[in-house]
Amino acid sequence: VKNLADLGERHIIELIKNLVKQNESMIGIGDDCAALDMGKEYLLLTTDMITKHTHISERMTAYQQGWFLVAINLSDLAAKGGKPLAVLIALGLPKNTSEKYVQDLIKGANDCAVRYGTVIAGGDTKENQTITLCGTAVGCVKKDEIMLRKGAQPGDVLAVTGTVGHAAAGYYELQQQKNNPVLLKGLFEPIPRIPEGQILGKMKVISSCMDSSDGLSSSLYQLQESNHLGFEIQKTLLPLSPNLSLLCFDDPYECALHFGGDYELLCTLPKHQVPNVQQELKKLGTSFTVIGSVTKDEGISLLSSGTKKVLPNKGYEHFSPHVFL
Amino acid sequence: VKNLADLGERHIIELIKNLVKQNESMIGIGDDCAALDMGKEYLLLTTDMITKHTHISERMTAYQQGWFLVAINLSDLAAKGGKPLAVLIALGLPKNTSEKYVQDLIKGANDCAVRYGTVIAGGDTKENQTITLCGTAVGCVKKDEIMLRKGAQPGDVLAVTGTVGHAAAGYYELQQQKNNPVLLKGLFEPIPRIPEGQILGKMKVISSCMDSSDGLSSSLYQLQESNHLGFEIQKTLLPLSPNLSLLCFDDPYECALHFGGDYELLCTLPKHQVPNVQQELKKLGTSFTVIGSVTKDEGISLLSSGTKKVLPNKGYEHFSPHVFL
């Protein structure tokens, strides 16, 4: 009998997809959000659970846990071009949890929601053996502005907002028992790209989009699966987080390619649209960097100093033997 | 320093309510669902987490766990008169969970969603030490058809759909190590009152409504808090589940008053509307029984053989010392 450790999260998602009834008017399981047809708009829905075991480090404050819970759910809306409408949070907490912990967690969750134009509209609190937090974000997007995972075209370029390895830098800081709050923030207080996502959606030039939270390599393999196309990544084009080189003793490019926890938007688009997008995102102070291109044939390669290698799929996947955080 | 066991769930909800930003156009924390103003309609949102520790008995099948997760979330929509639009499920599971468990759970969740006219639109799977399942239900209701917790009027009668103590009967069957599947179903496969809720909403005669999942006494105390009114319950009017008397060695009325797990609708309405409501619900085969009345003064009393006693608040509350299930 197979168990989840043998199967991995991606297989489980496939299994679920095949068991549930599909609704024709709905974009369902397999994208960052579910999208319900509401006439002129899609209603976007997403849920993400975090647990002590997988996401909540001992060094994370209660405030950061609340922020993180809301941010990762909003990031899924951002990747579809969505405007947030509301967030729900369900808290599974041990009996001996302090009132102060709950207060700080709620403050963090509320601050993140309000910062991105929405509110905590409701939730649930339940007793649990280990801290387990589950968030749900609801948003909307005009039908012609939604950015789906599916839609990449051969010849498109692949681009990413911000930097890669920002969270990894925080992870190495943590691993070295150091405590620079700015670096830890990169890991514990991710920035959902809500305004960027809405601008990208409104420009109607993005052919496919997802967030990079599972790591760049894992995200690319997921994007390949949705599109049945391939990617060529130019290693030297990767916009490395400036701190990563200082902290990562291994090859920082390797970290940037495989480490999860960055909540950037990974997009494909026609090459000639890149300057327009860069100009629009510059108004928000956000960079937009071409890192490769979309190929007709499946397969993901990494190009570096004239050589071409297959990019391994080493990103963060739940239940798989390899766990980064 | 106070911890959650000292405070209880109700206090935590108050604490959260005071910390989060309130949105004027939204019905927020404290009702069964959050309600977002969408123009002609409210979008209804609710989330409920269940854990091995509090809700998932060893005797519950994986199918029943999935059904239960969806049913309790749909019940919150039902209590507001809502039509379900979509359900999300987030699964926190140990690494050694079998593929079969996930398949059966999804089948149960899907069957419940489809039975009540909706679908599982998405979700999340994460590794967790103990099984923790979190559901979210999204629905809609016309603005003038929503039934809120607030709105009860002095002189209204108090009524309940179906029977009371249906889940309690299942609990006693379980406790006596017996295994009548029909009785266990009452506890493990609750029926969300989705069609009943929609009919009640459309009739526009219900002044307040909530589901009775926390138990009748606890629900009444919550309804009192929302309305600043009181209730008088006629003990002999309680529509006891037929099996309860057979299985409960204590006073079955006590069980029916305090045991949680029934997902019935608890409503207040003008007395003269009762026959109309009964006639409409009869078409669904669902009874609607007056069990008491709304009083101007706060306080909840139980009337029985000419005596009047204060009804104690003994229902199910998380983190409180007394746990039923």
Side-chain angles (χ1 to χ4, degrees), chain A residues 1-5 7 9 11-13 15-16 19-21 23 26-29 34 36 38 43 45-49 51 53-55 85-86 88-99 102-103 106-107 110 114 119-130 132-134 136 138 318-321 323, chain B residues 1-5 7 9 11-13 15-16 19-21 23 26-29 34 36 38 43 45-49 51 53-55 85-86 88-99 102-103 106-107 110 114 119-130 132-134 136 138 318-321 323:
Chain A
V1 181
K2 283 193 174 174
N3 65 31
L4 302 193
L7 298 168
E9 188 182 15
H11 177 94
I12 300 160
I13 293 170
L15 181 153
I16 294 172
L19 284 171
V20 304
K21 188 189 163 191
N23 184 326
M26 189 182 282
I27 294 152
I29 295 162
L36 269 68
M38 303 292 275
L43 187 72
L45 304 172
T46 183
T47 187
D48 252 315
M49 182 185 274
T51 72
H53 188 58
T54 52
H55 289 84
L85 293 174
L88 305 177
I89 52 175
L91 315 177
L93 303 172
K95 257 192 176 175
N96 65 356
T97 304
S98 73
E99 185 175 14
V102 181
Q103 284 172 330
I106 298 297
K107 278 180 201 160
N110 182 66
V114 171
V119 294
I120 308 292
D124 187 27
T125 56
K126 289 285 163 62
E127 199 180 320
N128 203 351
Q129 281 180 284
T130 51
T132 305
L133 312 175
C134 190
T136 301
V138 181
H318 285 277
F319 306 111
S320 65
V323 173
Chain B
V1 181
K2 283 193 175 173
N3 65 32
L4 302 192
L7 298 169
E9 188 182 15
H11 177 95
I12 300 162
I13 293 172
L15 182 154
I16 294 173
L19 284 171
V20 304
K21 190 189 162 192
N23 185 326
M26 188 181 283
I27 294 153
I29 294 163
L36 269 68
M38 303 293 276
L43 187 71
L45 304 172
T46 184
T47 186
D48 253 316
M49 182 185 276
T51 72
H53 188 56
T54 52
H55 289 84
L85 293 173
L88 304 177
I89 52 174
L91 316 177
L93 302 171
K95 257 192 175 174
N96 64 357
T97 304
S98 73
E99 186 176 12
V102 181
Q103 283 172 330
I106 298 297
K107 277 180 202 159
N110 182 66
V114 171
V119 293
I120 307 293
D124 188 27
T125 55
K126 288 286 162 61
E127 198 180 320
N128 203 352
Q129 281 180 283
T130 50
T132 305
L133 312 175
C134 190
T136 300
V138 181
H318 284 276
F319 305 112
S320 66
V323 172

